[in-house]
Amino acid sequence: MNSKNDNIEDAATSFDCFKNLNVDDLKMINEKKKQLTFFREETVFKQGAFASHVLFVNKGLVRIYLQTSSNKQINIRIARQGDLMAFSSIFGIETYLYSAMALKDSQICMVDKEALKNLLLRNPDFALQINSKNCANENRYINIIQNISYKQMRGKLASALLYLSSDEFKDEDVYEYLSRQNIADFASISVESAVKFIKEFEKENIISLNGKRIVIEDRKTLEEINLRG
């Protein structure tokens, strides 16, 4: 893990949510942050550890997951460029609610949570932009609950593949960085079941495989499997 100090024109403050801040606010937020480089498969933060910062993805991909037991994980989402992590820490949550691991070499900006909270309180437009980014994850979390509670394994895998192949990742081949175990953890099924149903989907011409890459060939059928559960 490498760290560096950034000037006021660095990558983090070039994203839309920071562009409308005045010079003084930009200076303050830069003084209260540090940018770090996390290498592939390096832990960014761990569930249950003290949450001193909100984290912002400048560049890269980060797998966010819940550790539900000593050998069981549920992958929640992939944070990409422009996404925030551990935002709940500014509302008094003292520990990280989930873990995060870099899927590829990633540049992460760690922002002091109190500094960010003060900025949100005095800048409602900035607060609205930040909260809208966080609310966008709500449907993803609801979908995970539905998958775990109601869907059979084919439906769970279909949901995971649709998420990992969504327009959100159109500029990234996320499968290059994911093992079959990772995909299974997005679907909340065993890796053996994931491999079995991936092969079934391939035989049914719903997907095609190219090494680790999974390409959806029949999105309509996959969406129907997802909806039927």
Side-chain angles (χ1 to χ4, degrees):
M1 180 178 69
N2 294 332
S3 66
K4 68 176 184 178
N5 293 320
D6 301 324
N7 61 38
I8 202 167
E9 300 295 335
D10 72 359
T13 51
S14 70
F15 289 102
D16 288 343
C17 58
F18 294 99
K19 283 182 177 178
N20 294 326
L21 295 179
N22 61 44
V23 173
D24 288 339
D25 284 340
L26 284 173
K27 182 178 179 181
M28 184 276 293
I29 209 72
N30 273 282
E31 290 174 348
K32 297 293 185 178
K33 71 172 181 59
K34 183 175 286 291
Q35 183 170 293
L36 305 175
T37 296
F38 291 86
F39 300 114
R40 182 174 181 177
E41 297 187 355
E42 186 175 3
T43 296
V44 178
F45 58 84
K46 191 165 181 62
Q47 182 178 329
F50 178 66
S52 58
H53 294 83
V54 176
L55 295 93
F56 183 88
V57 183
N58 274 355
K59 185 178 180 181
L61 295 171
V62 179
R63 178 171 62 92
I64 295 175
Y65 63 95
L66 285 174
Q67 191 77 44
T68 57
S69 67
S70 61
N71 59 355
K72 177 66 176 176
Q73 299 177 357
I74 298 175
N75 285 335
I76 302 173
R77 64 185 179 98
I78 295 176
R80 58 191 176 90
Q81 189 177 57
D83 285 345
L84 289 161
M85 300 179 290
F87 187 70
S88 61
S89 65
I90 71 169
F91 300 108
I93 305 299
E94 295 186 351
T95 59
Y96 292 117
L97 301 177
Y98 45 76
S99 296
M101 177 178 288
L103 281 175
K104 60 188 289 191
D105 292 356
S106 301
Q107 295 176 4
I108 308 297
C109 182
M110 301 181 71
V111 183
D112 179 82
K113 62 182 181 182
E114 290 301 322
L116 184 58
K117 181 178 181 179
N118 290 333
L119 184 56
L120 292 167
L121 288 172
R122 69 171 182 263
N123 193 321
D125 289 337
F126 176 69
L128 183 62
Q129 286 182 298
I130 293 293
N131 281 310
S132 67
K133 289 180 69 67
N134 284 285
C135 287
N137 295 319
E138 186 172 314
N139 287 339
R140 173 65 189 158
Y141 301 147
I142 291 173
N143 185 253
I144 291 171
I145 294 170
Q146 290 175 328
N147 287 348
I148 294 173
S149 302
Y150 305 114
K151 290 184 180 178
Q152 298 181 25
M153 286 188 286
R154 275 173 64 94
K156 289 180 179 181
L157 181 60
S159 178
L161 295 181
L162 287 168
Y163 169 69
L164 295 170
S165 303
S166 64
D167 288 343
E168 182 176 352
F169 306 113
K170 63 183 178 181
D171 297 325
E172 291 274 7
D173 183 7
V174 296
Y175 292 107
E176 177 184 348
Y177 309 105
L178 296 173
S179 66
R180 290 299 189 251
Q181 181 66 65
N182 291 151
I183 294 172
D185 290 340
F186 271 107
S188 299
I189 61 178
S190 69
V191 65
E192 293 82 8
S193 295
V195 170
K196 172 187 173 183
F197 291 121
I198 285 172
K199 289 180 179 178
E200 285 188 8
F201 288 166
E202 182 186 26
K203 289 180 181 178
E204 296 166 16
N205 297 316
I206 298 172
I207 63 172
S208 61
L209 303 179
N210 182 8
K212 294 180 66 177
R213 190 181 183 199
I214 298 175
V215 179
I216 297 177
E217 304 291 352
D218 188 348
R219 180 171 293 274
K220 182 179 179 181
T221 297
L222 196 63
E223 288 174 344
E224 289 174 353
I225 295 171
N226 174 46
L227 289 173
R228 289 199 306 268

